[in-house]
Amino acid sequence: MIYQGNAIGVVRGDDDIATLTFDLKDESVNKLSSAVVTELEEAVKALKGETGLAGLLLTSAKEAFIVGADITEFQAMFGKGGDFLEAMLMRVHGIFNALEDLPFPTVTAINGLALGGGCEVLLTTDFRVMSESAQIGLPETKLGILPGWGGCVRLPRLIGADNAIEWIAGGTQNTADAALRMGAVDAVVAAESLEAAARDILARAIAGELDYRARREEKRQPLKLGPIEQMMAFETAKGYVKGKAGPHYPAPVEAIKVIQKGAGEERARAQAIEAKAFAKLAMTDVAFNLVGLFMNDQVVKKKGSRYEKQARPVKQAAVLGAGIMGGGIAYQSASKGTPILMKDIKEEAVELGLKEARKLFTKQVERKKLSTEKMAARLTNIRPTLSYGDFGHVDLVVEAVVENPKVKAAVLAEVEAEVGEETILASNTSTISIDRLAANLKRPENFCGMHFFNPVHRMPLVEVIRGEQTSDAAVAATVAYARAMGKTPIVVNDCPGFLVNRVLFPYFGGFSRLMEQGADFARVDKVMEKFGWPMGPAYLLDVVGLDTAVHAGEVMAKGFPERMGSLGGEGESSAIQLMYENDRLGQKNAKGFYAYEEDRKGKPKKVLDEAAIELVKGVARESREFSDDDIIARMMVPLCLEAVRCLEDGIVGSAAEADMALIYGIGFPPFRGGALRYIDAMGVDAFVALADGLAEELGALYAPTDKLREMAAAGECFYATQVQAQA
């Protein structure tokens, strides 16, 4: 034994080949925490001090190789400032360089996932062998940073600048075949042959058959690119990536600049350039929030995993209602391997649902994500029916009929009589109370909400809604089924609008108030899109459908009359209500706040419509000029306050789940971290002061809660780590 730590062990074989194994104790995966990096430093020192070694093999005892750095340490580290970060990175470069410079050949056996810092470790060795099922990549730009442990230096020298830019700026996970094709690895073999293949390469390098010194020299030297080639590679890439990433995500373009600046330098200088750029990005709000987002996602996944462990598996599902939504649910279930019955009372509705599923499968084939054979096999997972004949064997039924409480209640009572006593019933409702729908059921403990977002195949969120009588078993089975469908389920308690729509409608309330005071809806859209929303409120209302918005607004007005009474009901003349009354329903009938024409791909394209502009003028009670900051405050304050209320009321279990639901469900700008992190970033006291100022003029929708005032007075925030970075 050359070295033994908590995560790393190094043994010397009879053949004088050392094997360094990553195996982090009491963890399911290997990750590079600061403690593990210190162990790597000690292990490399021990290897350097060992005489007569012929070679080194890097392996992992886990299913994955190394999933990356320990992201839980990031925010605290980022809070220590740029100088600390640069020094820390240069220390790691020293460790990795010492590994790269060992006086004998080195090879990595990549048995599974090798991402971020894990990928940067394997880039230090002379050779790499990869299992067929393994994947490698540098996803740091998705966290608002860039590879900081040599990825921007070594990868371009291994696979070329163009390919490295694609991998690093895109943050992609790459298959073994792609890695071999690019030259990132030297061989791809079956998992059972991995160690033998790695040892074979090592033996050939020791024998002088493979020149390992030339390999490592290539990684130490400047990139072999002429000035014209450099200009073409980097300038073209910067323009393309900037357009794709957008103005709020600087990391992908910054990564290209780092590769470009380091291209003409030898290893040490290029690494110093990388370290400086990493530290600069790590100090931005974007990196802070995106790392926070990753942490929140882990919270949601862990909760989902705990439910899944308690759940009875859903081996056969069913969906009631075979329209676009029902067809989307059937497609999602079938495509992920859970067979599903799709029932409706009309033959043409069943055909519509099948057509929707076929269309989605065909798109997968066209994008080469699926073979024709696999599509045919997965389509057989959907069984259309007009009767309840086979419902006795169904584990979970999703009711997806029209959003009408009487119709839903009747259908649910009907299906309950046809299924087994343990079958879970779940209603895909966006607004109707789960307790109200449970009132007519004989087994309300087996009933919950399962709110999918449209379009089902694209939107990652599913709200699982617990009613007063819903059992843990029903929640667990529904969460497990949502996860099996590839969705992110978040469990919430019953209330009007549940979590996401309850938080969204005050945002629409802010929009309606702006219209009443003479704001231009197209300008409001532009301001909110610039703020980071995928679409502005008027455009979003058109996509949702003005009839749907009016119906949901009425539910919210009835549920929260003091704050949301103006969102719906008789006598209300909001811009939303006015559109609906004038049969402007949005994209579904090609006219709403905007008119819609088909683009070249047959998709609806919005255009300004004078008729809509004139209609909206009819609700304006005054004519005021608003700054961009005014518009943002009037839109964001009511949304954020409702998220606070949902947390205080116990509708959602944690700030992390609330923020993730808004990001996954309505496209809250990810780089801002979510509604509650947005309040933290502003400072709870500053947010309360802003809300109070608006509440004086605009009323209860803008009034902070008593608990939020207490938080402001005590200097508290929603997240424990709120060491806000400086841009």
Side-chain angles (χ1 to χ4, degrees):
M1 179 65 70
I2 296 173
Y3 176 82
Q4 184 59 58
N6 193 53
I8 294 171
V10 186
V11 294
R12 181 173 186 151
D14 296 337
D15 53 2
D16 291 329
I17 288 174
T19 302
L20 187 155
T21 305
F22 291 96
D23 189 9
L24 183 56
K25 277 181 194 165
D26 304 322
E27 293 279 355
S28 58
V29 293
N30 289 317
K31 50 191 172 186
L32 296 170
S33 64
S34 47
V36 175
V37 169
T38 297
E39 281 193 19
L40 183 60
E41 183 175 33
E42 291 164 358
V44 172
K45 274 180 190 167
L47 281 162
K48 281 172 80 175
E50 193 81 1
T51 55
L53 279 179
L56 173 67
L57 172 65
L58 262 58
T59 66
S60 161
K62 307 283 190 199
E63 211 172 286
F65 179 70
I66 301 171
V67 295
D70 186 349
I71 295 171
T72 61
E73 296 182 344
F74 278 21
Q75 286 184 328
M77 259 196 296
F78 293 0
K80 291 181 181 178
D83 291 345
F84 168 85
L85 285 171
E86 274 192 68
M88 179 273 290
L89 293 166
M90 293 312 292
R91 176 186 160 234
V92 178
H93 281 312
I95 299 163
F96 282 27
N97 291 347
L99 175 57
E100 189 167 48
D101 296 343
L102 286 168
F104 40 75
T106 57
V107 64
T108 305
I110 310 160
N111 62 311
L113 214 53
L115 299 176
C119 182
E120 287 171 302
V121 165
L122 61 86
L123 293 175
T124 64
T125 58
D126 304 315
F127 305 98
R128 285 153 293 283
V129 183
M130 198 167 174
S131 165
E132 288 169 335
S133 59
Q135 291 192 327
I136 66 172
L138 295 165
E140 285 87 347
T141 55
K142 291 184 175 176
L143 293 175
I145 50 177
L146 49 76
W149 290 347
C152 295
V153 179
R154 291 187 176 95
L155 190 66
R157 284 153 178 79
L158 266 181
I159 68 173
D162 286 356
N163 294 330
I165 286 167
E166 195 177 318
W167 279 26
I168 293 169
T172 52
Q173 279 182 212
N174 306 283
T175 62
D177 286 346
L180 182 64
R181 199 168 56 247
M182 299 281 192
V185 298
D186 301 285
V188 171
V189 296
E192 59 272 18
S193 309
L194 184 64
E195 189 173 336
R199 287 186 177 278
D200 176 61
I201 283 181
L202 210 45
R204 287 163 64 196
I206 292 164
E209 194 183 320
L210 297 173
D211 190 348
Y212 73 91
R213 290 186 183 86
R215 277 295 189 91
R216 60 177 65 169
E217 197 54 36
E218 201 172 353
K219 287 189 281 172
R220 290 178 183 149
Q221 295 304 315
L223 254 175
K224 292 179 175 66
L225 270 184
I228 293 170
E229 290 171 305
Q230 276 201 38
M231 190 183 73
M232 285 175 69
F234 295 119
E235 297 308 321
T236 307
K238 275 190 281 192
Y240 173 75
V241 168
K242 191 172 185 178
K244 207 167 180 190
H248 303 296
Y249 299 90
V253 173
E254 194 62 37
I256 299 170
K257 288 178 183 173
V258 166
I259 298 169
Q260 183 176 16
K261 282 179 192 168
E265 308 286 350
E266 43 71 47
R267 185 178 69 183
R269 178 75 195 118
Q271 286 174 345
I273 290 166
E274 183 191 78
K276 197 170 195 66
F278 181 102
K280 179 184 157 193
L281 281 173
M283 299 305 293
T284 62
D285 290 340
V286 174
F288 186 88
N289 290 334
L290 291 178
V291 169
L293 207 64
F294 177 88
M295 308 282 287
N296 287 355
D297 194 44
Q298 296 304 298
V299 169
V300 169
K301 282 188 172 125
K302 277 179 185 165
K303 283 204 174 185
S305 184
R306 283 201 291 273
Y307 277 117
E308 207 168 31
K309 282 170 188 165
Q310 308 160 20
R312 209 161 48 84
V314 174
K315 292 175 183 170
Q316 175 69 57
V319 61
L320 301 176
I324 300 289
M325 182 61 88
I329 292 168
Y331 159 80
Q332 195 65 33
S333 186
S335 70
K336 297 295 181 182
T338 305
I340 188 163
L341 295 167
M342 184 169 63
K343 183 194 176 298
D344 208 292
I345 52 172
K346 293 178 184 171
E347 184 77 53
E348 56 268 33
V350 168
E351 195 45 54
L352 178 67
L354 274 176
K355 186 181 173 186
E356 176 69 10
R358 270 194 222 104
K359 181 183 85 179
L360 294 170
F361 275 123
T362 303
K363 279 183 182 172
Q364 291 288 84
V365 173
E366 285 168 1
R367 289 177 186 147
K368 297 190 167 51
K369 298 267 179 83
L370 207 61
S371 66
T372 312
E373 294 75 26
K374 278 188 179 170
M375 169 182 159
R378 288 181 189 179
L379 262 172
T380 62
N381 279 334
I382 303 173
R383 204 142 42 96
T385 180
L386 296 171
S387 75
Y388 287 113
D390 294 322
F391 272 61
H393 306 292
V394 168
D395 299 305
L396 187 145
V397 179
V398 181
E399 167 276 302
V401 300
V402 64
E403 187 76 354
N404 178 304
K406 287 181 183 172
V407 176
K408 281 186 182 288
V411 168
L412 285 163
E414 185 180 87
V415 73
E416 187 183 41
E418 303 289 343
V419 296
E421 291 206 353
E422 292 189 329
T423 301
I424 308 301
L425 301 183
S427 176
N428 174 44
T429 174
S430 55
T431 53
I432 303 164
S433 163
I434 295 305
D435 290 332
R436 179 180 175 182
L437 291 175
N440 296 334
L441 295 176
K442 290 174 183 167
R443 297 185 292 276
E445 68 277 7
N446 288 353
F447 176 62
C448 64
M450 191 179 191
H451 177 206
F452 290 87
F453 290 76
N454 209 7
V456 174
H457 66 287
R458 281 220 190 105
M459 299 298 281
L461 180 68
V462 170
E463 281 182 303
V464 175
I465 304 117
R466 185 195 285 274
E468 269 186 34
Q469 297 178 73
T470 305
S471 68
D472 287 345
V475 170
T478 309
V479 165
Y481 179 47
R483 280 168 66 96
M485 292 171 92
K487 297 298 177 190
T488 299
I490 290 179
V491 179
V492 300
N493 285 319
D494 190 25
C495 71
F498 317 129
L499 172 64
V500 172
N501 279 334
R502 177 173 161 181
V503 172
L504 177 62
F505 272 79
Y507 176 80
F508 288 150
F511 172 72
S512 292
R513 296 282 170 84
L514 278 165
M515 295 304 98
E516 285 169 20
Q517 294 184 312
D520 168 13
F521 66 80
R523 176 159 174 253
V524 172
D525 272 7
K526 278 178 186 159
V527 169
M528 297 317 293
E529 283 162 14
K530 191 178 172 189
F531 178 81
W533 286 91
M535 54 185 82
Y539 187 20
L540 177 58
L541 282 158
D542 279 358
V543 171
V544 167
L546 275 302
D547 50 345
T548 305
V550 165
H551 163 72
E554 286 166 357
V555 172
M556 304 309 291
K558 195 179 280 187
F560 308 102
E562 186 196 344
R563 291 192 307 284
M564 301 192 211
S566 63
L567 296 184
E570 287 179 29
E572 290 303 325
S573 58
S574 70
I576 298 167
Q577 191 80 24
L578 204 59
M579 289 291 155
Y580 171 64
E581 286 166 4
N582 283 272
D583 194 35
R584 299 185 71 92
L585 306 183
Q587 284 188 354
K588 62 180 74 176
N589 72 343
K591 54 181 183 176
F593 282 95
Y594 299 93
Y596 292 87
E597 300 168 353
E598 279 195 4
D599 66 12
R600 283 177 301 175
K601 292 180 181 174
K603 290 182 179 176
K605 176 188 166 190
K606 68 180 170 80
V607 290
L608 280 173
D609 185 347
E610 283 302 322
I613 292 165
E614 285 305 312
L615 266 178
V616 173
K617 281 180 185 172
V619 297
R621 294 171 189 168
E622 55 184 299
S623 179
R624 278 173 63 176
E625 286 295 320
F626 294 98
S627 71
D628 288 3
D629 286 346
D630 287 338
I631 290 169
I632 290 163
R634 284 160 181 264
M635 294 297 300
M636 293 303 297
V637 167
L639 179 148
C640 292
L641 282 173
E642 206 60 39
V644 169
R645 289 188 180 97
C646 285
L647 188 62
E648 289 179 8
D649 294 349
I651 300 305
V652 64
S654 65
E657 290 164 283
D659 280 345
M660 290 312 292
L662 298 178
I663 285 162
Y664 284 154
I666 53 172
F668 191 103
F671 68 94
R672 295 192 185 275
L676 301 174
R677 206 177 277 284
Y678 178 69
I679 295 174
D680 276 359
M682 188 182 292
V684 179
D685 53 348
F687 180 83
V688 166
L690 175 65
D692 273 334
L694 289 165
E696 279 180 32
E697 179 192 349
L698 299 165
L701 198 61
Y702 290 81
T705 65
D706 291 341
K707 195 172 175 189
L708 193 65
R709 291 185 196 284
E710 287 166 19
M711 282 178 69
E716 292 172 357
C717 51
F718 291 99
Y719 289 92
T721 310
Q722 191 58 37
V723 189
Q724 196 59 32
Q726 296 301 311

